[in-house]
Amino acid sequence: MNPTQSNDVKILRLPAVIETCGLSRSTIYEMLNPKSRRYKPDFPKPIKLSSSSVGWFQHELNAWLLSKKA
């Protein structure tokens, strides 16, 4: 079943993203910054959960990781 069609939508906070990807906090944010030399436009963008917190959809992160294998 396609994860986006599942009812099990899971949002990961930064510590879980770090653990899942094996990347540091600073590397993740550099991959999101268009001005950085480490910028990766295909890296999943975080979603705003509240005024001071963000999270990433687990299925988007998993798809990005699988694309790195190819």
Side-chain angles (χ1 to χ4, degrees):
M1 177 180 256
N2 186 342
T4 57
Q5 294 173 347
S6 171
N7 290 334
D8 298 333
V9 174
K10 187 168 183 182
I11 295 175
L12 301 178
R13 299 294 303 274
L14 186 58
V17 174
I18 291 169
E19 184 178 331
T20 301
C21 293
L23 300 170
S24 70
R25 176 189 184 279
S26 59
T27 299
I28 290 169
Y29 281 108
E30 282 189 13
M31 291 170 66
L32 292 168
N33 181 0
K35 295 180 181 178
S36 170
R37 65 180 179 87
R38 292 187 176 150
Y39 177 61
K40 303 283 186 209
D42 60 333
F43 190 75
K45 305 294 184 255
I47 59 166
K48 196 158 188 67
L49 301 174
S50 72
S51 62
S52 61
S53 65
V54 296
W56 285 258
F57 283 115
Q58 183 178 32
H59 67 272
E60 290 180 0
L61 197 58
N62 290 341
W64 180 79
L65 289 169
L66 290 173
S67 75
K68 296 295 148 197
K69 182 179 177 182

